[in-house]
Amino acid sequence: MALEVGQIVEGKVTGITKFGAFVELSEGVTGLVHISEVADSYVKDVREYLNYNDVVKVKVIAISEDGKISLSIRKLKENSRNNRKMSAQSFEEKLAKFLKESEERQQDLKRYESKRGAGSGSRRRAY
């Protein structure tokens, strides 16, 4: 299976260093979750979040020309939060928001037209 950027895969933590964690993916391919991609908050020690042999879901964020694979746990969590936020709004809330914005646009248009109509008459010169 060829990995692609943006793909979400599962792997096992095989190594932990000061700068991140190595995760073994399918077919023995290993990628790195950099310390900055472990969590949304500041991570002082990767071991506070991950342990050896943990099975984790990760998102492939880059594949370099020399085959190094960059992974992220943080970006995977961002995606799921954004999806929940979008689906959390009920139909009624979405409809109310649409109607409010529509009404505001109509009022802006009416104001613009009334100014344009009043202003164009005053600019005419009588000869």
Side-chain angles (χ1 to χ4, degrees):
M1 174 178 121
L3 291 175
E4 297 177 12
V5 173
Q7 189 175 2
I8 296 170
V9 293
E10 197 170 87
K12 183 164 72 168
V13 177
T14 58
I16 297 177
T17 66
K18 291 180 180 180
F19 55 86
F22 290 97
V23 177
E24 184 177 327
L25 307 172
S26 63
E27 301 173 16
V29 176
T30 301
L32 174 69
V33 179
H34 188 268
I35 192 168
S36 65
E37 294 296 332
V38 171
D40 287 332
S41 58
Y42 175 75
V43 177
K44 184 174 181 178
D45 184 2
V46 177
R47 289 176 186 84
E48 293 176 10
Y49 295 86
L50 299 171
N51 297 306
Y52 289 103
N53 296 321
D54 279 356
V55 177
V56 293
K57 281 191 176 186
V58 292
K59 183 173 185 176
V60 178
I61 56 173
I63 302 173
S64 68
E65 289 180 15
D66 60 354
K68 292 181 180 176
I69 302 168
S70 297
L71 306 170
S72 175
I73 295 171
R74 180 174 63 90
K75 288 195 168 106
L76 183 65
K77 291 178 182 175
E78 284 177 3
N79 288 348
S80 65
R81 255 197 319 274
N82 289 341
N83 290 341
R84 274 183 282 177
K85 187 183 280 187
M86 290 298 288
S87 64
Q89 279 188 327
S90 70
F91 174 74
E92 289 79 15
E93 290 170 327
K94 290 177 185 177
L95 181 60
K97 180 180 176 186
F98 170 78
L99 290 173
K100 179 182 176 200
E101 290 173 356
S102 179
E103 181 66 32
E104 289 170 354
R105 286 190 194 114
Q106 287 180 349
Q107 288 174 357
D108 288 344
L109 182 60
K110 286 177 184 177
R111 269 189 244 119
Y112 173 76
E113 287 177 348
S114 68
K115 286 180 184 178
R116 193 173 125 217
S120 62
S122 63
R123 292 185 193 150
R124 292 186 190 162
R125 291 186 176 172
Y127 292 101

